[in-house]
Amino acid sequence: MRSVSVFGATGSIGESTFDILMRQGGPDAYRVVALTGGRNVARLAAQARALKAEVAVIADDTLLPELKAALAGSGIAAAAGQNALLEAADRPADWIMSGIVGAAGLAPGFRALSHGGTLALANKESLVTAGPLLMAEARAHGARILPVDSEHSAVFQALVGEEMEAVEEITITASGGAFRDWPLDRLAHATVAEASTHPNWAMGQRITIDSASMFNKALELIETHEFFGIDPGRIGVLVHPESLVHALVGFRDGGVIGHLGAPDMRHAIGYALNWPERMHLPVNRLKLAEIGQLTFAAPDPARYPALRLAREVMAAGGLTGAVFNAAKEVALDAFIGGGIAFTAMANVVEEVLSRLSAAGTLGKAAQSLDMVLETDREARRVAVEMIETMQRT
Ligand code: NAD
Ligand code: MG
């Protein structure tokens, strides 16, 4: 029986993973090792009971008594806190979903890789902050990383049976987010509620807002570079409002293989779970005759400064990605908290990048996970300070 763990089980990716696991036989088909959540005790306990998990971990350690109560009589172990997350990652499993949001997902995923097995990587921040380390960790332990981000799953699928040598270009698509058609001068006044609605995908709030700013696509550019090892200059972004074509791989003979499908993460999650097989999945089938036409456009640099920043980050390399992501997370928190304007997020990130690269050390390759986490903390500190200064002036 295959063993599985789900990190971030209570989130959007986690719920879709739970859905696929249940549909594919649940506890009769899988030995479920660990499920983790951030704060939603009731949901975590319900999932753990349904899947007969061995352990449930809640990240917020003040919630341990509540989790214990919710699991009473089930025989499922309850644990809480950051160390418990790492201990859960130390319990070997054949397949582990990395579905925590943000840099918080890095350490557990890293730890899981050290036990071999397959890491289904939804947490794109892991590759953005520590791509080379993560890939090396997987190689060192004979572990495998399968991409779950829809665009990267699409590229991965288009590359089956192909050689990277023959790839000329990889294009990932973007819906354009909530503000694709807004006049530019309105963006500064966009509210959190307005930024939290996605035209096509139902996702967690943070990635939805990141889609409106295209910080999500910026992270995904870096993710593509790190995962597929392709030069930044050969990765493109195409605005595609219908979100049906997820990625295109162009080959040196002029052929292009694209991946199409309904915007439903259960496809990419199910693909990673069943790989290399394809199993029946409950996603809507494409009816192209009904859809009629697909549209594409180049992204407007003035609307989406995050894309330019991502290219600067890739050119600088090393620890720059960790700074970029951390500053972005802090800026996003500030926007969600009502502290800064939607358009100020990119300014904060750009300023933090320029302040921290002034020392000239950011381009150095990260030697250890600790170095990445230290850089992440430093970038957060600078970003918070910068936002406080902005708010005073
Ligand atoms: P979400 O906010 O819906 O869920 C995040 C999960 O992580 C929850 O279980 C939450 O409780 C947990 N969590 C949050 N902070 C934590 C912390 N500090 N420590 C431990 N656990 C914590 O997010 P999501 O939309 O499911 O996204 C998860 C990851 O997948 C992100 O990296 C995102 O970029 C990526 N992703 C998501 C989608 C999508 O459709 N939602 C698509 C592609 C990639
Ligand atoms: Mg994506």
Side-chain angles (χ1 to χ4, degrees), residues 91 114 138 171 202 205 217 272 318 328 335-336 347 357 363 382 387:
R91 296 181 176 230
S114 72
T171 304
Q205 185 190 34
K217 213 50 55 180
K328 192 281 293 178
F335 171 64
I336 293 173
N347 301 336
S357 38
V382 173
I387 289 168

Side-chain angles (χ1 to χ4, degrees), residues 7 27 38 45 155 224 235:
F7 286 77
V155 172
T224 305
I235 312 170

